Amino acid sequence: MEVLNHTQKRTDNPLLVITHLSQLLTYFTGFGGLVVPLILWLTQKDKVEDMDAHGKQIINFQISLILYMIIGIPAILLLGVGILILIFACIIGFVMPIVNAIKASNGEAPSYFATFRIIK
């Protein structure tokens, strides 16, 4: 009699790539960049290998971007520093998901620049 082990995780690099690229929904919907990766992470972290690590990095990155926006908007009154913070957040918010999607397709670990580690 064969015993099946249902706790074995599958390797699914395309799903990891989709999870990283789904962050770009923020530029179209305003909030989808946090909601969609969060749903994918919560539903697939026990089923897909490395999804837990990638999901935590993505959620930490999205929370960091939100914090940069919260800090940047009032900082506009301080000699335009806020505008620089907002430009920085927009650029890394667009570039880093693409870079990490490429890393995920190659089976590498994600690394997001300027991210606060809130979820460990």
Side-chain angles (χ1 to χ4, degrees):
M1 178 165 72
E2 184 178 333
V3 177
L4 296 176
N5 186 1
H6 292 287
T7 60
Q8 187 176 8
K9 295 182 179 182
R10 70 181 193 277
T11 303
D12 195 356
N13 287 349
L15 182 61
L16 295 175
V17 170
I18 290 170
T19 307
H20 284 284
L21 292 178
S22 67
Q23 296 176 78
L24 298 176
L25 287 172
T26 298
Y27 293 98
F28 300 106
T29 64
F31 62 89
L34 176 63
V35 174
V36 174
L38 180 64
I39 292 170
L40 287 171
W41 172 55
L42 290 175
T43 59
Q44 300 297 316
K45 68 180 178 180
D46 296 328
K47 299 174 187 172
V48 176
E49 186 177 335
D50 294 331
M51 178 60 88
D52 194 38
H54 285 261
K56 286 178 183 177
Q57 287 284 340
I58 291 169
I59 301 306
N60 283 333
F61 182 66
Q62 287 297 313
I63 292 171
S64 298
L65 286 178
I66 291 169
L67 291 174
Y68 286 134
M69 296 295 177
I70 291 172
I71 292 168
I73 291 172
I76 291 174
L77 300 174
L78 298 171
L79 302 172
V81 175
I83 293 173
L84 295 176
I85 293 172
L86 294 175
I87 290 171
F88 170 77
C90 288
I91 290 172
I92 66 167
F94 186 78
V95 173
M96 293 309 294
I98 296 169
V99 169
N100 283 294
I102 294 169
K103 285 185 175 185
S105 70
N106 294 330
E108 299 175 26
S111 61
Y112 282 96
F113 176 72
T115 301
F116 302 117
R117 293 193 182 262
I118 298 167
I119 301 172
K120 295 183 183 188

